[in-house]
Structure formats: structure tokens, C-alpha cells
Amino acid sequence: MMKEKWRFIDSGNRDPYYNMALDEVLLEWHSEGKIPPTIRFYGWNPATLSIGYFQKAEKEIDFDMVKKHGLGFVRRPTGGRGVLHEHELTYSVIVSEDHADMPKTVTEAYRVISQGLLEGFKLLGLDAYFAVPKTEEEKNSLKNPRSSVCFDAPSWYELVVEGRKIAGSAQTRQKGVILQHGSILLDLDEDKLFSVFKYPSDRVKERMQRAFREKAVAINAIANRTIELEESKEAFQKGFEIGLDIELEPYTLTEEEERYVQQLAKTKYASDEWNFKR
């Protein structure tokens, strides 16, 4: 039986505004029926701090430290908390809400899409599994995150290795289309991550960083070898094909499509109105 063909785009390292613009444009094009479901891999140049759609930038972020580290900054169209995009593989999945294999609820669709990530981790030799909060206390803690930092706690069907979160994802639904994107950490500069957020006191910062260390981990901190970016790309590309039972066909944007994305990046995602609106 023929497998469904999805589009695959590896857009390489791009600036933060382009990255968010391309995700939005792919959602738009898919909603208009111009492109099939799409999986995209990308990186960040410069390394970037992204915040969730609902976060308050001025209240939560230390922009002097963002500048000191030479980081980019952008607000995502998805929810969730702050993510330092540096030593990672970032992915996005764009698929219609009414796709035959997509459950109607956000949580269950999240599980289906993340099956591709799970298979990717397995191909890298990691014993990953889905975190499913069991107690009422765990469920309530998901609704009221205490930290501005993503990866601070596993949410429904987040991917976990040895009890610690190893991939962070966020989802939005617009125009009948699901956009799920997230970070697969290869390595993590924990001190840099915690330096760009504001805290009531140094003691609170230290406590949160200590708790974070117990809950989150990067691939190369637990793998018994060094896993490079190219190997991780191959594993997760294959993982998505296995997990979603699809065939991925590589695609490169045309010059006209590139111009369209660049225009949205400049007018929307690079604007202070977007990034500091809350």
C-alpha cells in the first residue's frame, strides 16, 4: 500500500524572524491547499531566545543579558515558555486538523505527531517514552507553570529519557491547520539559559536552576557518545516517516516563495509591535 507523501524542508540556520515567518507561511499555504502536509527542520543564526505567544517580554526577560550574549529574540505564534535555541534541531509539523490520522483533541494530536520524535530518539539509541501526568497534582502543575523557562517540566506526552524532559514542543491551530514546532536539545548551556530571565532574587534563580537540572536534559548529556546535528537530522527524518507512516519528499522554496517569507519576517516577526506587544 502506498504511503502518503508529505513535503520535507530543511531550511538550515536562519534568523529568528525568518524561522517564525516560514512556519506561519507553511500553515497558510497548507490551509489554502497549495502544499501537502509538511515537516520542516531548521536551526538559528544567531542563537535565539524565543518566548511563547502569551509571555510578557519586558516583565520576564533580561534584555541586557540577551544583548550581552549576542542572542536573537522573537515571540513565537505558539504558546509555552522561553526557549534558548542554540545547540539543537528545531522541527515543525504542518498538517490539517481534519487529516484522517489527526485526533480532534490537542493532547491526542500532540501524541500522534510526537510519535515521530519518539521513533527518532529510538533510532539514536535512546530509551525515550511519553510523559503522562498521573496525579491531580501533576495535572494541575501543568496548568500553572511556575517558571518562564521551557523544559522546566514535562507536559502531556512530552518526551522523556531517564525521567527528564528531552524535547519541548508547542502547538497552535489556525485556519483549520495544526502547527506544532519544538526543540530537540543536543547540548545545553544552562547558565546562559538562566541568565536571560528575571527572578525575584538570586536564591529563587538558584532554586529554579537546580530544579530544572533534575527535570530536563540534552541528548549528549545522556548518550554514551557524541551525536552530531547531521546524524540527528537523519534519525528524526526517518523517525517521522516511521511514526506517522508517511514518505517525506525533500523540497526547496522557489525564489518567489522565499521573497514572500522574507517580507512577512520583516513586517511582522522583526517588529517591536509583535515581539513586545504584551
Side-chain angles (χ1 to χ4, degrees):
M1 190 171 155
M2 289 285 288
K3 292 188 177 182
E4 184 184 2
K5 288 184 169 67
W6 287 29
R7 183 168 285 185
F8 175 70
I9 297 171
D10 181 352
S11 48
N13 291 342
R14 307 299 290 251
D15 70 63
Y17 316 126
Y18 179 96
N19 277 337
M20 294 301 92
L22 181 49
D23 276 356
E24 179 178 325
V25 166
L26 293 173
L27 183 153
E28 177 187 311
W29 288 341
H30 187 50
S31 77
E32 294 168 353
K34 292 178 179 175
I35 62 171
T38 300
I39 290 175
R40 173 185 169 223
F41 288 172
Y42 54 104
W44 305 73
N45 184 22
T48 292
L49 177 70
S50 78
I51 62 169
Y53 182 77
F54 299 101
Q55 282 187 283
K56 295 177 171 61
E58 300 284 10
K59 182 183 176 185
E60 298 183 34
I61 307 302
D62 185 336
F63 283 100
D64 288 338
M65 292 304 293
V66 171
K67 188 175 180 182
K68 181 181 175 183
H69 291 305
L71 299 173
F73 173 76
V74 72
R75 182 183 297 277
R76 301 188 305 272
T78 52
R81 291 166 280 169
V83 182
L84 174 60
H85 303 281
E86 193 170 23
H87 310 295
E88 68 172 48
L89 172 62
T90 317
Y91 78 90
S92 57
V93 176
I94 292 91
V95 60
S96 173
E97 284 186 277
D98 59 15
H99 187 282
D101 294 330
M102 284 299 131
K104 296 304 176 204
T105 68
V106 171
T107 304
E108 290 304 315
Y110 201 87
R111 178 188 58 76
V112 169
I113 292 170
S114 297
Q115 189 68 38
L117 299 176
L118 184 66
E119 296 296 338
F121 283 117
K122 287 179 180 176
L123 289 169
L124 291 174
L126 296 173
D127 186 17
Y129 58 93
F130 287 127
V132 182
K134 297 177 180 70
T135 67
E136 283 306 311
E137 184 182 359
E138 286 176 340
K139 290 173 185 175
N140 288 332
S141 72
L142 296 183
K143 298 172 191 169
N144 301 293
R146 290 188 295 274
S147 168
S148 300
V149 186
C150 189
F151 287 92
D152 200 43
S155 54
W156 281 98
Y157 297 124
E158 211 74 80
L159 281 151
V160 169
V161 172
E162 295 178 6
R164 292 191 285 174
K165 182 172 170 179
I166 199 166
S169 303
Q171 195 183 104
T172 186
R173 292 172 178 234
Q174 299 171 27
K175 303 176 183 176
V177 175
I178 298 167
L179 163 63
Q180 181 173 311
H181 55 193
S183 301
I184 301 161
L185 297 182
L186 296 177
D187 295 286
L188 174 65
D189 187 336
E190 189 187 290
D191 289 333
K192 185 188 288 186
L193 170 65
F194 275 81
S195 73
V196 296
F197 295 96
K198 292 179 178 176
Y199 305 90
S201 68
D202 286 342
R203 188 188 297 176
V204 170
K205 178 184 175 183
E206 286 169 18
R207 189 173 73 237
M208 286 188 165
Q209 190 165 349
R210 199 161 52 242
F212 174 88
R213 205 171 294 134
E214 294 170 0
K215 294 173 182 172
V217 69
I219 286 176
N220 284 323
I222 52 172
N224 55 11
R225 60 195 174 84
T226 300
I227 294 170
E228 303 289 352
L229 180 62
E230 284 308 311
E231 183 185 355
S232 69
K233 282 183 179 180
E234 287 176 18
F236 287 103
Q237 183 177 347
K238 186 70 180 167
F240 274 116
E241 287 187 318
I242 296 168
L244 299 180
D245 194 30
I246 56 173
E247 183 181 331
L248 289 173
E249 293 190 320
Y251 180 80
T252 302
L253 266 64
T254 65
E255 286 184 17
E256 185 182 352
E257 289 169 338
E258 278 284 350
R259 281 195 297 273
Y260 186 82
V261 177
Q262 296 280 8
Q263 181 65 17
L264 181 65
K266 190 166 90 175
T267 57
K268 179 175 179 178
Y269 288 102
S271 71
D272 286 350
E273 182 185 0
W274 170 261
N275 287 314
F276 298 95
K277 65 183 177 179
R278 291 183 178 278

